[in-house]
Every structure is written in C-alpha cells, then in structure tokens.
Amino acid sequence: MHIALICSCSGAESEENHGLHVTLDDNCTWILRGGSACAACENKNKAYLIPPGACGILNPSTIYANNEVSLAEVDIYGFDYDYTLALYSNALHSMIYNAARGFLVDHFKYPQGIRKYEYIPNFAARGLHYDIQKGLLMKIDAFHYIQPGTVYRGLSPVPDEEVLELYGGTFHIPLEQDSGFYGKGPRVKQFMDIFSIPEMTLMAVANDFFITNNIDYDPVHLYKDVTEAVGMVHLKGYMYKWIMQDLGKKYILRGEETDAVLHKLVDQGKKLFLITNSPFAFVDKGMTHMVGKNWREFFDVVIVQADKPHFFTDCVKPFRRLDCDGALRWDKIKSLEKGQIYKQGNLFDFLKLTGWRGTKVLYFGDHLYSDLADLTLRHGWRTAAIVPELEQETKIVSTSRYSTSLTWMQALTGLLEQLQTHQDPASKEVFQEWKKEREELRIIAKNLFNPQFGSIFRTCHNPTYFSRRLCRFSDLYMASLSCLLNYDSNFTFYPRRTPLQHEAPLWMDQLCTGCRKTPHLEEMSTIR
C-alpha cells in the first residue's frame, strides 16, 4: 500500500511508500506527516491547519452559559464575599501556606525540616482529588477516572503502572470512595475552593519530606493535621488580619470594578443581598475600601458568618442582629431590614422573611458546593460561578501553539479511528507512530496550563470532575463579577447547542461564546 495525497487544485497524486492511503479534503485542511503534495496545496495546508471556524482570540470578560438565563427576569442579585465581591491576589496563598506550615511544626510537632520547603506557586490547581489513605493528589475526570500522568505522591509523579497496581488494575475511583455531595468522601476528598490551593501544596510538601527522608508515617494522620493547621489560619483570624492591614496594595484586586457593578445594578432598580461566612469587621473593612463607607446602602439584606453550606439546609438556627459596634443583640428577628447586619440564620427563614424565590433570584459565588449546589438543586435559584482561573485559561486557549496542537491532535484521532481497521504490518506501524504523536501533543497542551495537572476544565479527552460540577451547579460562569459590566439588564444568555456524539453539526451556531464581541466591552475598559 502507498500514500496517495490528492491535490485538490489539480487532482495530481504524489506517491511515497509509507503504507497508507490518505485523501485530503477540498480545502486541504489536514496535513499528513511524511507525505507530500504540490507546492500550492502545501501553502494551503499551512493556512488551514487551524480550520477557518476555530477560535482566534477568546474574550476573558465573557459570561458563559450552561443554562438559558434572561437577566430581564432577574430582580434580585445575591453575592458571596470572598473571591466574589472581593478578589484576592496570589500573594495571599503563600501567606496561608507559611502560617499553616508554622502551625504544623510548632503546634503538631512535625520535623523542623519541613520549614525548608518554600511555597510552590504553580504546583496545585483547583478541583483536584486527594486519596487520604494513600496520600496521593490526583486529577479525576467526569466519569471518575484518574487522568494518567497526573497522580502525585508528595512532589513526585507516580508512574501509571504503579497507579494501576494501587487501584486494582484500573484508573477508576468507585463512587462510594469518591468525594460526596460536598466534596468530602470517606476516602477521597475534592479540593474545590481557591483557598485550598495552599493546603494542597502543604499536603504534598509534608508527604514529600517523610518520603525523601525515609521516615515512616501515617498518611491519614498527616491529612488531618495539615487540614487542621490550615483551618487554624482561618479560625485564629490570621488571614483576615493580613488582608485588613494591606487592602489595596497587596491583596484585594479590582475593587473599582465591584463598585461599578453594584452601582449599575442599583441604578437598574435591582435588589441586592450579601450572604457570607466571613465576619462583619472583615467584610466592612474590605467593602469600605472597594465601595466606600456607605456600602451597606447598596444591599437590602446583609448576612455574615452564615455558616454555609449549612445555612442552605438547616431550618433551626435563627438570625441574630448585630449592633453598630458588631455586638450581638437578643431581640427576635421578625423582618430583615435594610441597613442592619445579621448573623447566622438559615435560608428557610430568609425565604419567609423576604419572599425572594425561584428564577428571579441570581446568586454569585466561587465555591460550587458551599455556595451554589443547594440553591440550584433544592431552591430553584439561578446561580453564577466566579472562576478566576478562566482569565488565564482563555488566554492559553487563544494561543496559536495550543490551537495548532489541539487541531492536529483531533485530526490524528480521526485518522487513528479510520486506520485501525487495517491490520497489515505497515499500517500497524503507522498507527503506533500516530498514537505516540497524539500523546506527545496531549502533553504539550496539558503543560501549557499546569505541568503537573493541566487545565482545571479538561482531562485527556473528557471534562474534569470539577467541570462536570460547574455545569451541574451553575447556570452561568465567569472570571470575575466585573464581566456583568459587559451586558445590559435585558440580555439573555444562550448556551451553545454543541452536537451530541450521535448528532451531526448541522447548525451554524458553533463558534464559542467567547469569540463574540460582548456588548459593552469598550465602556468597561474605562473602568479598568
């Protein structure tokens, strides 16, 4: 068998004895490695390596839809505080890591050698799973399969062969072992929020210290101790103190955009409320920095230390009011009044006192489980996820290197599917070469995001477990709250009708949302 590359311009054949017959389409879209064609078609090949419909530059300020949402029907906007109204810089991660590392050594009496490990900014990524008993950090896809090449014991990758041996000859994590509804399974935990990135890094570092120094230890004890050490950073108020001492210079980002969003919504006659787990003094300091001393005038209801996700499921804990000094009052709460600050409470009383129900409410949060899951599954609110990682990921997806790698990888996948029916030795040899090349391209694409774990949204071919939860629990998702500035109050978000495996892409609406110019992007640029 021989290669026959059919040139669309003349129909001429260019032959080489490589053991395969491949025909280019009318546009010479695909390039076959090792083959040759006329000069005109080679030029065309280079031009069309990325098909004409592929993404050019994605807009990181786009709001993406998992479900159809009309803002004209939304009268009430609710917000979490941390990583929603207030976005933080990565400098906070190293501070949390350093403090928790100190607690691990000083309070839990771990070896002093752990202090030598500095924070590794780009080691972990949100949405990873951790096998508590085996001490393994890994990435799992939407079908509960571990992605090969993304399992780490300490700071070192675990070979795929060893992973298979550890999990009984499969990459699959059974449902009963996997993370439960709130990301905490009996044996495997999912790290879902952004604050967990320094926790994962410290977990990896502590494991690495014991392994490299050949010290026997129990991974279950290590997991509990690291989790408690990180928890102490929050419970003792260290994080709140750092941020309050250096609001504008180091930690809080894009405060002027939060101010612009709140002004815009209030000017449109929308009702606003805030439900956060953070304490009032911390929220007050941050909101005063971003919006001004009169920030409470924007909100019809403000609830602090809400204890989410229990706030959404508990129907017993009553609301308590705080006075102007932040002290708790003892009066029974019969209404939620504007200008007042409330603590604790529960959503069932919130619904009775406000009457805010159903799809006229849109709530924004960064934690898919604690902020959004119960609201969309139990109460029918609209939900919007804040995913700051989107900004960097869309920039990577827009690069020619990523687009070229992905396009050729997809082309190879189609060629492999067709070639597998040929069982002669020459075809089998080419099949293995293409399979190896596709794996190399996959690694290139993965490393563009994170060398250890890749994109938070995709595994090799499937969505990640994080991505699946994002689609299930959020109607909309975006990089930051400021993306709302791009859309007017009557805008309707339409999810893309991407074809199912058994459907043909017969419709024209195949360009992703991010390729379109958002309505008010130029106006927003004046704010930034």
PDB file of all heavy atoms in Angstrom, residues 424-455:
ATOM      1  N   ASP A 424      -2.485  -4.826   8.318  1.00  0.00           N
ATOM      2  CA  ASP A 424      -1.189  -5.187   7.733  1.00  0.00           C
ATOM      3  C   ASP A 424      -0.070  -4.531   8.540  1.00  0.00           C
ATOM      4  O   ASP A 424      -0.283  -3.518   9.210  1.00  0.00           O
ATOM      5  CB  ASP A 424      -1.126  -4.745   6.275  1.00  0.00           C
ATOM      6  CG  ASP A 424      -1.309  -3.244   6.128  1.00  0.00           C
ATOM      7  OD1 ASP A 424      -2.477  -2.785   6.183  1.00  0.00           O
ATOM      8  OD2 ASP A 424      -0.293  -2.539   6.015  1.00  0.00           O
ATOM      9  N   PRO A 425       1.128  -5.094   8.533  1.00  0.00           N
ATOM     10  CA  PRO A 425       2.240  -4.593   9.362  1.00  0.00           C
ATOM     11  C   PRO A 425       2.553  -3.110   9.147  1.00  0.00           C
ATOM     12  O   PRO A 425       2.820  -2.389  10.111  1.00  0.00           O
ATOM     13  CB  PRO A 425       3.418  -5.466   8.938  1.00  0.00           C
ATOM     14  CG  PRO A 425       2.784  -6.738   8.468  1.00  0.00           C
ATOM     15  CD  PRO A 425       1.501  -6.328   7.805  1.00  0.00           C
ATOM     16  N   ALA A 426       2.527  -2.661   7.900  1.00  0.00           N
ATOM     17  CA  ALA A 426       2.854  -1.262   7.623  1.00  0.00           C
ATOM     18  C   ALA A 426       1.835  -0.320   8.264  1.00  0.00           C
ATOM     19  O   ALA A 426       2.185   0.704   8.856  1.00  0.00           O
ATOM     20  CB  ALA A 426       2.930  -1.018   6.119  1.00  0.00           C
ATOM     21  N   SER A 427       0.551  -0.665   8.161  1.00  0.00           N
ATOM     22  CA  SER A 427      -0.499   0.172   8.753  1.00  0.00           C
ATOM     23  C   SER A 427      -0.390   0.176  10.273  1.00  0.00           C
ATOM     24  O   SER A 427      -0.586   1.209  10.923  1.00  0.00           O
ATOM     25  CB  SER A 427      -1.876  -0.332   8.332  1.00  0.00           C
ATOM     26  OG  SER A 427      -2.071  -0.162   6.943  1.00  0.00           O
ATOM     27  N   LYS A 428      -0.079  -0.978  10.851  1.00  0.00           N
ATOM     28  CA  LYS A 428       0.078  -1.050  12.304  1.00  0.00           C
ATOM     29  C   LYS A 428       1.232  -0.175  12.787  1.00  0.00           C
ATOM     30  O   LYS A 428       1.151   0.460  13.840  1.00  0.00           O
ATOM     31  CB  LYS A 428       0.298  -2.497  12.739  1.00  0.00           C
ATOM     32  CG  LYS A 428      -0.939  -3.369  12.640  1.00  0.00           C
ATOM     33  CD  LYS A 428      -0.649  -4.778  13.158  1.00  0.00           C
ATOM     34  CE  LYS A 428      -1.909  -5.635  13.133  1.00  0.00           C
ATOM     35  NZ  LYS A 428      -1.628  -7.008  13.637  1.00  0.00           N
ATOM     36  N   GLU A 429       2.287  -0.126  11.996  1.00  0.00           N
ATOM     37  CA  GLU A 429       3.444   0.694  12.355  1.00  0.00           C
ATOM     38  C   GLU A 429       3.078   2.181  12.343  1.00  0.00           C
ATOM     39  O   GLU A 429       3.420   2.937  13.265  1.00  0.00           O
ATOM     40  CB  GLU A 429       4.602   0.425  11.400  1.00  0.00           C
ATOM     41  CG  GLU A 429       5.862   1.211  11.743  1.00  0.00           C
ATOM     42  CD  GLU A 429       6.996   0.930  10.767  1.00  0.00           C
ATOM     43  OE1 GLU A 429       6.855   0.024   9.920  1.00  0.00           O
ATOM     44  OE2 GLU A 429       8.024   1.638  10.851  1.00  0.00           O
ATOM     45  N   VAL A 430       2.378   2.599  11.285  1.00  0.00           N
ATOM     46  CA  VAL A 430       1.942   3.995  11.199  1.00  0.00           C
ATOM     47  C   VAL A 430       0.964   4.316  12.328  1.00  0.00           C
ATOM     48  O   VAL A 430       1.014   5.403  12.926  1.00  0.00           O
ATOM     49  CB  VAL A 430       1.295   4.275   9.826  1.00  0.00           C
ATOM     50  CG1 VAL A 430       0.679   5.666   9.799  1.00  0.00           C
ATOM     51  CG2 VAL A 430       2.322   4.130   8.716  1.00  0.00           C
ATOM     52  N   PHE A 431       0.077   3.364  12.626  1.00  0.00           N
ATOM     53  CA  PHE A 431      -0.894   3.542  13.702  1.00  0.00           C
ATOM     54  C   PHE A 431      -0.192   3.846  15.016  1.00  0.00           C
ATOM     55  O   PHE A 431      -0.571   4.772  15.745  1.00  0.00           O
ATOM     56  CB  PHE A 431      -1.761   2.291  13.838  1.00  0.00           C
ATOM     57  CG  PHE A 431      -2.848   2.396  14.876  1.00  0.00           C
ATOM     58  CD1 PHE A 431      -4.104   2.885  14.538  1.00  0.00           C
ATOM     59  CD2 PHE A 431      -2.614   2.012  16.196  1.00  0.00           C
ATOM     60  CE1 PHE A 431      -5.099   2.994  15.499  1.00  0.00           C
ATOM     61  CE2 PHE A 431      -3.601   2.118  17.154  1.00  0.00           C
ATOM     62  CZ  PHE A 431      -4.851   2.608  16.802  1.00  0.00           C
ATOM     63  N   GLN A 432       0.859   3.093  15.345  1.00  0.00           N
ATOM     64  CA  GLN A 432       1.592   3.294  16.597  1.00  0.00           C
ATOM     65  C   GLN A 432       2.338   4.626  16.587  1.00  0.00           C
ATOM     66  O   GLN A 432       2.425   5.302  17.619  1.00  0.00           O
ATOM     67  CB  GLN A 432       2.570   2.137  16.828  1.00  0.00           C
ATOM     68  CG  GLN A 432       1.900   0.803  17.119  1.00  0.00           C
ATOM     69  CD  GLN A 432       0.995   0.856  18.345  1.00  0.00           C
ATOM     70  OE1 GLN A 432       1.309   1.535  19.337  1.00  0.00           O
ATOM     71  NE2 GLN A 432      -0.137   0.171  18.262  1.00  0.00           N
ATOM     72  N   GLU A 433       2.866   5.027  15.425  1.00  0.00           N
ATOM     73  CA  GLU A 433       3.561   6.312  15.322  1.00  0.00           C
ATOM     74  C   GLU A 433       2.592   7.472  15.577  1.00  0.00           C
ATOM     75  O   GLU A 433       2.918   8.427  16.285  1.00  0.00           O
ATOM     76  CB  GLU A 433       4.202   6.452  13.938  1.00  0.00           C
ATOM     77  CG  GLU A 433       5.404   5.541  13.717  1.00  0.00           C
ATOM     78  CD  GLU A 433       5.950   5.669  12.308  1.00  0.00           C
ATOM     79  OE1 GLU A 433       5.382   6.461  11.527  1.00  0.00           O
ATOM     80  OE2 GLU A 433       6.932   4.964  11.988  1.00  0.00           O
ATOM     81  N   TRP A 434       1.412   7.371  14.971  1.00  0.00           N
ATOM     82  CA  TRP A 434       0.416   8.427  15.157  1.00  0.00           C
ATOM     83  C   TRP A 434      -0.093   8.463  16.600  1.00  0.00           C
ATOM     84  O   TRP A 434      -0.343   9.528  17.154  1.00  0.00           O
ATOM     85  CB  TRP A 434      -0.753   8.227  14.197  1.00  0.00           C
ATOM     86  CG  TRP A 434      -0.429   8.682  12.801  1.00  0.00           C
ATOM     87  CD1 TRP A 434       0.680   9.344  12.388  1.00  0.00           C
ATOM     88  CD2 TRP A 434      -1.242   8.507  11.649  1.00  0.00           C
ATOM     89  NE1 TRP A 434       0.616   9.601  11.049  1.00  0.00           N
ATOM     90  CE2 TRP A 434      -0.558   9.096  10.563  1.00  0.00           C
ATOM     91  CE3 TRP A 434      -2.475   7.898  11.414  1.00  0.00           C
ATOM     92  CZ2 TRP A 434      -1.068   9.097   9.272  1.00  0.00           C
ATOM     93  CZ3 TRP A 434      -2.988   7.904  10.138  1.00  0.00           C
ATOM     94  CH2 TRP A 434      -2.287   8.500   9.077  1.00  0.00           C
ATOM     95  N   LYS A 435      -0.253   7.281  17.193  1.00  0.00           N
ATOM     96  CA  LYS A 435      -0.710   7.201  18.574  1.00  0.00           C
ATOM     97  C   LYS A 435       0.304   7.859  19.518  1.00  0.00           C
ATOM     98  O   LYS A 435      -0.062   8.599  20.436  1.00  0.00           O
ATOM     99  CB  LYS A 435      -0.921   5.738  18.963  1.00  0.00           C
ATOM    100  CG  LYS A 435      -1.693   5.534  20.249  1.00  0.00           C
ATOM    101  CD  LYS A 435      -1.994   4.051  20.461  1.00  0.00           C
ATOM    102  CE  LYS A 435      -2.787   3.840  21.749  1.00  0.00           C
ATOM    103  NZ  LYS A 435      -3.071   2.399  21.969  1.00  0.00           N
ATOM    104  N   LYS A 436       1.574   7.605  19.249  1.00  0.00           N
ATOM    105  CA  LYS A 436       2.645   8.214  20.048  1.00  0.00           C
ATOM    106  C   LYS A 436       2.664   9.731  19.851  1.00  0.00           C
ATOM    107  O   LYS A 436       2.813  10.487  20.813  1.00  0.00           O
ATOM    108  CB  LYS A 436       3.993   7.616  19.646  1.00  0.00           C
ATOM    109  CG  LYS A 436       5.175   8.191  20.410  1.00  0.00           C
ATOM    110  CD  LYS A 436       6.489   7.577  19.933  1.00  0.00           C
ATOM    111  CE  LYS A 436       7.669   8.201  20.660  1.00  0.00           C
ATOM    112  NZ  LYS A 436       8.955   7.646  20.162  1.00  0.00           N
ATOM    113  N   GLU A 437       2.479  10.167  18.600  1.00  0.00           N
ATOM    114  CA  GLU A 437       2.486  11.605  18.328  1.00  0.00           C
ATOM    115  C   GLU A 437       1.306  12.299  18.984  1.00  0.00           C
ATOM    116  O   GLU A 437       1.437  13.404  19.524  1.00  0.00           O
ATOM    117  CB  GLU A 437       2.465  11.864  16.822  1.00  0.00           C
ATOM    118  CG  GLU A 437       2.562  13.339  16.476  1.00  0.00           C
ATOM    119  CD  GLU A 437       2.653  13.594  14.983  1.00  0.00           C
ATOM    120  OE1 GLU A 437       2.631  12.615  14.214  1.00  0.00           O
ATOM    121  OE2 GLU A 437       2.740  14.770  14.597  1.00  0.00           O
ATOM    122  N   ARG A 438       0.150  11.644  18.980  1.00  0.00           N
ATOM    123  CA  ARG A 438      -1.023  12.232  19.629  1.00  0.00           C
ATOM    124  C   ARG A 438      -0.792  12.397  21.129  1.00  0.00           C
ATOM    125  O   ARG A 438      -1.181  13.405  21.723  1.00  0.00           O
ATOM    126  CB  ARG A 438      -2.265  11.365  19.376  1.00  0.00           C
ATOM    127  CG  ARG A 438      -3.554  12.031  19.825  1.00  0.00           C
ATOM    128  CD  ARG A 438      -4.765  11.170  19.599  1.00  0.00           C
ATOM    129  NE  ARG A 438      -4.825  10.055  20.516  1.00  0.00           N
ATOM    130  CZ  ARG A 438      -5.962   9.550  21.014  1.00  0.00           C
ATOM    131  NH1 ARG A 438      -7.121  10.086  20.671  1.00  0.00           N
ATOM    132  NH2 ARG A 438      -5.952   8.526  21.828  1.00  0.00           N
ATOM    133  N   GLU A 439      -0.132  11.417  21.757  1.00  0.00           N
ATOM    134  CA  GLU A 439       0.172  11.512  23.179  1.00  0.00           C
ATOM    135  C   GLU A 439       1.151  12.648  23.456  1.00  0.00           C
ATOM    136  O   GLU A 439       1.015  13.375  24.452  1.00  0.00           O
ATOM    137  CB  GLU A 439       0.747  10.183  23.680  1.00  0.00           C
ATOM    138  CG  GLU A 439       1.152  10.169  25.148  1.00  0.00           C
ATOM    139  CD  GLU A 439      -0.004  10.376  26.094  1.00  0.00           C
ATOM    140  OE1 GLU A 439      -1.175  10.232  25.666  1.00  0.00           O
ATOM    141  OE2 GLU A 439       0.250  10.718  27.265  1.00  0.00           O
ATOM    142  N   GLU A 440       2.117  12.848  22.577  1.00  0.00           N
ATOM    143  CA  GLU A 440       3.067  13.952  22.734  1.00  0.00           C
ATOM    144  C   GLU A 440       2.349  15.301  22.643  1.00  0.00           C
ATOM    145  O   GLU A 440       2.636  16.229  23.407  1.00  0.00           O
ATOM    146  CB  GLU A 440       4.158  13.857  21.663  1.00  0.00           C
ATOM    147  CG  GLU A 440       5.098  12.670  21.848  1.00  0.00           C
ATOM    148  CD  GLU A 440       6.026  12.472  20.669  1.00  0.00           C
ATOM    149  OE1 GLU A 440       5.821  13.168  19.636  1.00  0.00           O
ATOM    150  OE2 GLU A 440       6.927  11.624  20.754  1.00  0.00           O
ATOM    151  N   LEU A 441       1.404  15.407  21.698  1.00  0.00           N
ATOM    152  CA  LEU A 441       0.635  16.642  21.560  1.00  0.00           C
ATOM    153  C   LEU A 441      -0.242  16.883  22.780  1.00  0.00           C
ATOM    154  O   LEU A 441      -0.417  18.028  23.219  1.00  0.00           O
ATOM    155  CB  LEU A 441      -0.230  16.580  20.300  1.00  0.00           C
ATOM    156  CG  LEU A 441       0.513  16.680  18.963  1.00  0.00           C
ATOM    157  CD1 LEU A 441      -0.404  16.282  17.814  1.00  0.00           C
ATOM    158  CD2 LEU A 441       1.035  18.092  18.752  1.00  0.00           C
ATOM    159  N   ARG A 442      -0.800  15.803  23.336  1.00  0.00           N
ATOM    160  CA  ARG A 442      -1.634  15.934  24.531  1.00  0.00           C
ATOM    161  C   ARG A 442      -0.821  16.499  25.695  1.00  0.00           C
ATOM    162  O   ARG A 442      -1.281  17.361  26.444  1.00  0.00           O
ATOM    163  CB  ARG A 442      -2.224  14.572  24.910  1.00  0.00           C
ATOM    164  CG  ARG A 442      -3.220  14.640  26.048  1.00  0.00           C
ATOM    165  CD  ARG A 442      -3.559  13.266  26.581  1.00  0.00           C
ATOM    166  NE  ARG A 442      -2.413  12.650  27.238  1.00  0.00           N
ATOM    167  CZ  ARG A 442      -2.004  12.954  28.462  1.00  0.00           C
ATOM    168  NH1 ARG A 442      -2.617  13.902  29.155  1.00  0.00           N
ATOM    169  NH2 ARG A 442      -0.967  12.340  29.002  1.00  0.00           N
ATOM    170  N   ILE A 443       0.410  16.025  25.851  1.00  0.00           N
ATOM    171  CA  ILE A 443       1.275  16.504  26.929  1.00  0.00           C
ATOM    172  C   ILE A 443       1.645  17.967  26.720  1.00  0.00           C
ATOM    173  O   ILE A 443       1.679  18.758  27.666  1.00  0.00           O
ATOM    174  CB  ILE A 443       2.539  15.615  27.026  1.00  0.00           C
ATOM    175  CG1 ILE A 443       2.142  14.204  27.474  1.00  0.00           C
ATOM    176  CG2 ILE A 443       3.544  16.218  27.990  1.00  0.00           C
ATOM    177  CD1 ILE A 443       3.273  13.208  27.432  1.00  0.00           C
ATOM    178  N   ILE A 444       1.904  18.331  25.459  1.00  0.00           N
ATOM    179  CA  ILE A 444       2.211  19.735  25.152  1.00  0.00           C
ATOM    180  C   ILE A 444       1.040  20.624  25.561  1.00  0.00           C
ATOM    181  O   ILE A 444       1.219  21.664  26.218  1.00  0.00           O
ATOM    182  CB  ILE A 444       2.520  19.905  23.649  1.00  0.00           C
ATOM    183  CG1 ILE A 444       3.874  19.270  23.309  1.00  0.00           C
ATOM    184  CG2 ILE A 444       2.516  21.384  23.268  1.00  0.00           C
ATOM    185  CD1 ILE A 444       4.177  19.233  21.827  1.00  0.00           C
ATOM    186  N   ALA A 445      -0.178  20.227  25.175  1.00  0.00           N
ATOM    187  CA  ALA A 445      -1.370  21.014  25.503  1.00  0.00           C
ATOM    188  C   ALA A 445      -1.576  21.088  27.021  1.00  0.00           C
ATOM    189  O   ALA A 445      -1.905  22.145  27.566  1.00  0.00           O
ATOM    190  CB  ALA A 445      -2.597  20.420  24.826  1.00  0.00           C
ATOM    191  N   LYS A 446      -1.370  19.980  27.712  1.00  0.00           N
ATOM    192  CA  LYS A 446      -1.533  19.938  29.174  1.00  0.00           C
ATOM    193  C   LYS A 446      -0.546  20.874  29.862  1.00  0.00           C
ATOM    194  O   LYS A 446      -0.906  21.641  30.759  1.00  0.00           O
ATOM    195  CB  LYS A 446      -1.337  18.502  29.661  1.00  0.00           C
ATOM    196  CG  LYS A 446      -1.133  18.339  31.160  1.00  0.00           C
ATOM    197  CD  LYS A 446      -0.936  16.877  31.497  1.00  0.00           C
ATOM    198  CE  LYS A 446      -0.422  16.681  32.919  1.00  0.00           C
ATOM    199  NZ  LYS A 446       1.011  16.959  33.072  1.00  0.00           N
ATOM    200  N   ASN A 447       0.705  20.835  29.432  1.00  0.00           N
ATOM    201  CA  ASN A 447       1.751  21.622  30.093  1.00  0.00           C
ATOM    202  C   ASN A 447       1.577  23.120  29.913  1.00  0.00           C
ATOM    203  O   ASN A 447       2.120  23.912  30.691  1.00  0.00           O
ATOM    204  CB  ASN A 447       3.127  21.205  29.582  1.00  0.00           C
ATOM    205  CG  ASN A 447       3.519  19.824  30.064  1.00  0.00           C
ATOM    206  OD1 ASN A 447       2.897  19.264  30.969  1.00  0.00           O
ATOM    207  ND2 ASN A 447       4.537  19.249  29.456  1.00  0.00           N
ATOM    208  N   LEU A 448       0.843  23.525  28.896  1.00  0.00           N
ATOM    209  CA  LEU A 448       0.598  24.952  28.697  1.00  0.00           C
ATOM    210  C   LEU A 448      -0.209  25.538  29.862  1.00  0.00           C
ATOM    211  O   LEU A 448      -0.089  26.725  30.180  1.00  0.00           O
ATOM    212  CB  LEU A 448      -0.142  25.188  27.382  1.00  0.00           C
ATOM    213  CG  LEU A 448       0.670  24.947  26.096  1.00  0.00           C
ATOM    214  CD1 LEU A 448      -0.246  25.066  24.884  1.00  0.00           C
ATOM    215  CD2 LEU A 448       1.817  25.931  25.992  1.00  0.00           C
ATOM    216  N   PHE A 449      -1.031  24.713  30.505  1.00  0.00           N
ATOM    217  CA  PHE A 449      -1.849  25.174  31.627  1.00  0.00           C
ATOM    218  C   PHE A 449      -1.115  24.991  32.954  1.00  0.00           C
ATOM    219  O   PHE A 449      -0.926  25.934  33.710  1.00  0.00           O
ATOM    220  CB  PHE A 449      -3.169  24.402  31.661  1.00  0.00           C
ATOM    221  CG  PHE A 449      -4.041  24.629  30.467  1.00  0.00           C
ATOM    222  CD1 PHE A 449      -4.040  23.732  29.404  1.00  0.00           C
ATOM    223  CD2 PHE A 449      -4.855  25.746  30.384  1.00  0.00           C
ATOM    224  CE1 PHE A 449      -4.835  23.941  28.295  1.00  0.00           C
ATOM    225  CE2 PHE A 449      -5.654  25.969  29.275  1.00  0.00           C
ATOM    226  CZ  PHE A 449      -5.647  25.064  28.227  1.00  0.00           C
ATOM    227  N   ASN A 450      -0.757  23.747  33.256  1.00  0.00           N
ATOM    228  CA  ASN A 450      -0.068  23.421  34.501  1.00  0.00           C
ATOM    229  C   ASN A 450       0.709  22.133  34.251  1.00  0.00           C
ATOM    230  O   ASN A 450       0.110  21.114  33.897  1.00  0.00           O
ATOM    231  CB  ASN A 450      -1.085  23.238  35.634  1.00  0.00           C
ATOM    232  CG  ASN A 450      -0.450  22.817  36.937  1.00  0.00           C
ATOM    233  OD1 ASN A 450       0.086  21.726  37.063  1.00  0.00           O
ATOM    234  ND2 ASN A 450      -0.526  23.676  37.943  1.00  0.00           N
ATOM    235  N   PRO A 451       2.032  22.146  34.413  1.00  0.00           N
ATOM    236  CA  PRO A 451       2.847  20.968  34.073  1.00  0.00           C
ATOM    237  C   PRO A 451       2.460  19.717  34.850  1.00  0.00           C
ATOM    238  O   PRO A 451       2.648  18.613  34.357  1.00  0.00           O
ATOM    239  CB  PRO A 451       4.269  21.422  34.439  1.00  0.00           C
ATOM    240  CG  PRO A 451       4.232  22.902  34.364  1.00  0.00           C
ATOM    241  CD  PRO A 451       2.858  23.294  34.823  1.00  0.00           C
ATOM    242  N   GLN A 452       1.928  19.893  36.059  1.00  0.00           N
ATOM    243  CA  GLN A 452       1.552  18.729  36.853  1.00  0.00           C
ATOM    244  C   GLN A 452       0.154  18.215  36.501  1.00  0.00           C
ATOM    245  O   GLN A 452      -0.042  17.008  36.331  1.00  0.00           O
ATOM    246  CB  GLN A 452       1.584  19.065  38.349  1.00  0.00           C
ATOM    247  CG  GLN A 452       2.945  19.317  38.943  1.00  0.00           C
ATOM    248  CD  GLN A 452       3.512  20.665  38.577  1.00  0.00           C
ATOM    249  OE1 GLN A 452       4.618  20.759  38.056  1.00  0.00           O
ATOM    250  NE2 GLN A 452       2.772  21.736  38.843  1.00  0.00           N
ATOM    251  N   PHE A 453      -0.807  19.125  36.384  1.00  0.00           N
ATOM    252  CA  PHE A 453      -2.200  18.687  36.313  1.00  0.00           C
ATOM    253  C   PHE A 453      -2.981  19.238  35.117  1.00  0.00           C
ATOM    254  O   PHE A 453      -4.120  18.842  34.898  1.00  0.00           O
ATOM    255  CB  PHE A 453      -2.921  19.071  37.614  1.00  0.00           C
ATOM    256  CG  PHE A 453      -2.270  18.499  38.839  1.00  0.00           C
ATOM    257  CD1 PHE A 453      -1.477  19.287  39.669  1.00  0.00           C
ATOM    258  CD2 PHE A 453      -2.430  17.156  39.161  1.00  0.00           C
ATOM    259  CE1 PHE A 453      -0.869  18.752  40.798  1.00  0.00           C
ATOM    260  CE2 PHE A 453      -1.824  16.614  40.286  1.00  0.00           C
ATOM    261  CZ  PHE A 453      -1.038  17.408  41.110  1.00  0.00           C
ATOM    262  N   GLY A 454      -2.410  20.144  34.349  1.00  0.00           N
ATOM    263  CA  GLY A 454      -3.103  20.645  33.168  1.00  0.00           C
ATOM    264  C   GLY A 454      -4.239  21.599  33.497  1.00  0.00           C
ATOM    265  O   GLY A 454      -4.274  22.240  34.543  1.00  0.00           O
ATOM    266  N   SER A 455      -5.221  21.675  32.599  1.00  0.00           N
ATOM    267  CA  SER A 455      -6.361  22.570  32.742  1.00  0.00           C
ATOM    268  C   SER A 455      -7.296  22.085  33.847  1.00  0.00           C
ATOM    269  O   SER A 455      -7.457  20.877  34.056  1.00  0.00           O
ATOM    270  CB  SER A 455      -7.133  22.645  31.423  1.00  0.00           C
ATOM    271  OG  SER A 455      -8.387  23.270  31.596  1.00  0.00           O
TER     272      SER A 455
END
